[in-house]
Amino acid sequence: MAKRIIVTGGAGFIGSNIADELIRRGNEVVIIDSLVTGEKKNINPAAKFIKGDVRKPGDIGKCFGKKVDAILHIAGCASTIKSFDDPAADLNTNVLGTINIINAAVKHKVGRILYASSMTAYGVPEKIPVKEDFPTRPIAYYGITKYAGERYIMATGLREDLGFKMNTTAFRMFNVYGRRQSLTNPYQGVVSIFIGNAARGEGIKIFGDGEQSRDYVHISDVADAWAGAIDNPGSFGEVFNLGSGIRVSVNGLVAITLRSFGKDIKKYDVKYFPARPGDQRHMQADISKAKKMLKWAPKMKFEKGLQDVIDWAKELYKGE
Ligand code: UD1
C-alpha cells in the first residue's frame, strides 16, 4: 500500500536513489536535505522537498502535517576524514541529528524508522566476512557517531513507554557506489573518486599500500533492500549488513577502473601516500542474514556496476 515516507538526506547520493525507488513503487515521499553535500538536481520532482537541517528540530517539524508512515534517516556527515578534522560537527549531525529525528517520530507517532548505519561500526574485525553479531569497535570517529545513532534508533524500538510500537531497522552499509556519487568530492567513496580522476585525466592517489580491501555494493541493490524492508516485519528490531559479500583491493580497483577507461596502468600517474587515520584494513560483509530475513540478494555484478558509473561520468564530462 502506498505510504507517506520522509527521507532525510534525500538529495544525497544514497538518499536520492532510495527516494526514487520509493516513488517508483508508488509512495509519497517528503525529502529533507540541507544541501550541504546533497544536490538539488538529485531531488525527484515527484517528492515534496524541504530544505532543512536535521540538527534543527524546527526544520524537521516542517516535514509533518499529514500522517507519516515511515522515516528513512539517511542524512549525515559521511566522511571519516572530516570526522577527525571536526569531531564536534560529525557528532552534532550524526548523533544529535538522529536524536532530533527520534524526538520528531515520537511526537508525531511514526511507527517505523529505518536508519543508515555503517560498516565502519565494526572497526578492525577479528575475521572477515563480518556478521552482524561481531563486536563493534569503531576506529574512526565517524564510525563511533554512526554506531551511536544506530543504537539510539534500535533502543527506541524497545521503548514501552511511548504508548505505541516503533519498529526500527538499521542497515550497516558497506561501500556503496553508483551514479550520483560525487566525482569531485574527495570525501565521498573511492569508486567515484577514481572514476572522476580517470575521466579528468588526473593522477590517482592511493592511501597506504593499496592492499586494503572493501566490499562494494551497488546503489540499486541498496535501494532495493531499503524499499523492500519498510513493510517487512522480519526486519523489525533488526540490524543488517548491506554489502555484496565480495571484497576488492584498492589496487585491484585502480586496475579495473583504468582498464575500463582503456588506459595503461603502467603509464598512468598512480602514487602512494601514507594511510589515512581510522582506515580499516579489510572489509567484507556476511550478507546471509539479509538474504534470509529480507529475502534480498545483491544483483549487480561489480564490473557491470562500475561500467555504468563510468558511462555516466563520460557523459558528464563529454564536451569539457
Ligand atoms: C566509506 C565511506 C563511509 C561509509 C563507509 C561504508 C567515505 C569517505 N567513507 O568508508 O562514509 O560509511 O564507506 O559504506 O566515503 N582511498 C584511496 N584513494 C582515494 C580515496 C580513498 O586510496 O583517493 C582508499 C581509502 O584510504 C580506503 C579505501 O580507499 O582505504 C576506501 O575509501 P573510501 O571510499 O573513502 O571509504 P571508507 O573509508 O571505506
Side-chain angles (χ1 to χ4, degrees):
M1 208 182 66
K3 291 191 147 54
R4 189 171 167 85
I5 301 167
I6 295 175
V7 179
T8 75
F13 159 53
I14 297 179
S16 69
N17 277 288
I18 294 176
D20 285 358
E21 182 60 22
L22 296 175
I23 290 165
R24 204 181 62 73
R25 295 185 186 204
N27 297 288
E28 228 182 287
V29 170
V30 180
I31 287 172
I32 174 167
D33 198 297
S34 65
L35 299 181
V36 171
T37 51
E39 293 185 61
K40 254 197 163 132
K41 63 175 192 283
N42 291 342
I43 300 171
N44 191 305
K48 179 176 175 193
F49 174 59
I50 287 151
K51 184 173 180 303
D53 193 319
V54 292
R55 289 173 300 185
K56 298 180 185 158
D59 286 1
I60 298 169
K62 292 179 194 157
C63 300
F64 296 84
K66 286 194 216 159
K67 186 174 169 9
V68 170
D69 299 296
I71 302 176
L72 275 49
H73 181 37
I74 298 154
C77 255
S79 169
T80 303
I81 296 304
K82 283 189 179 166
S83 75
F84 285 108
D85 291 347
D86 192 348
D90 177 73
L91 175 76
N92 271 322
T93 306
N94 292 352
V95 183
L96 198 58
T98 299
I99 291 171
N100 290 338
I101 290 294
I102 291 170
N103 287 341
V106 170
K107 182 174 168 194
H108 296 278
K109 296 197 167 32
V110 180
R112 184 80 180 109
I113 305 188
L114 295 89
Y115 174 77
S117 188
S118 165
M119 60 83 177
T120 49
Y122 293 112
V124 179
E126 276 156 23
K127 54 179 183 184
I128 47 172
V130 288
K131 281 182 187 275
E132 289 83 350
D133 59 3
F134 276 24
T136 42
R137 291 183 290 238
I139 56 166
Y141 292 172
Y142 167 74
I144 299 172
T145 61
K146 286 309 278 187
Y147 184 57
E150 176 194 299
R151 289 297 97 199
Y152 273 102
I153 294 281
M154 300 315 288
T156 306
L158 300 173
R159 283 178 61 178
E160 287 176 1
D161 60 311
L162 296 180
F164 69 101
K165 180 79 187 114
M166 187 186 287
N167 293 311
T168 59
T169 300
F171 294 111
R172 291 186 186 151
M173 293 186 282
F174 283 62
N175 292 63
V176 186
Y177 74 99
R179 288 183 182 221
R180 293 191 190 149
Q181 192 165 35
S182 175
L183 297 166
T184 50
N185 179 352
Y187 302 111
Q188 250 188 26
V190 69
V191 169
S192 62
I193 292 171
F194 288 167
I195 290 176
N197 293 150
R200 295 185 295 267
E202 296 165 0
I204 285 182
K205 292 181 177 174
I206 295 180
F207 300 115
D209 64 2
E211 284 310 302
Q212 70 269 38
S213 57
R214 293 291 185 274
D215 179 325
Y216 300 101
V217 58
H218 192 260
I219 184 64
S220 58
D221 287 319
V222 167
D224 182 39
W226 278 75
I230 296 171
D231 281 336
N232 182 347
S235 72
F236 296 175
E238 299 291 343
V239 173
F240 296 96
N241 285 339
L242 284 188
S244 65
I246 297 162
R247 72 191 168 90
V248 177
S249 72
V250 169
N251 285 329
L253 177 64
V254 172
I256 306 169
T257 306
L258 291 177
R259 196 170 58 230
S260 306
F261 270 94
K263 307 208 184 206
D264 182 354
I265 191 164
K266 291 195 198 85
K267 291 190 190 136
Y268 205 85
D269 174 21
V270 179
K271 287 200 178 74
Y272 288 81
F273 293 82
R276 303 196 295 197
D279 206 13
Q280 291 158 291
R281 187 66 180 160
H282 299 297
M283 278 315 278
Q284 185 180 3
D286 181 316
I287 51 173
S288 50
K289 182 175 174 185
K291 279 185 172 166
K292 188 169 163 229
M293 296 174 73
L294 300 177
K295 310 266 177 288
W296 168 88
K299 295 188 188 82
M300 182 66 88
K301 292 260 177 306
F302 187 55
E303 276 75 9
K304 189 160 173 257
L306 200 69
Q307 191 56 53
D308 183 58
V309 183
I310 291 171
D311 293 346
W312 172 72
K314 281 184 174 165
E315 194 63 34
L316 285 178
Y317 286 109
K318 204 165 67 185
E320 277 187 23

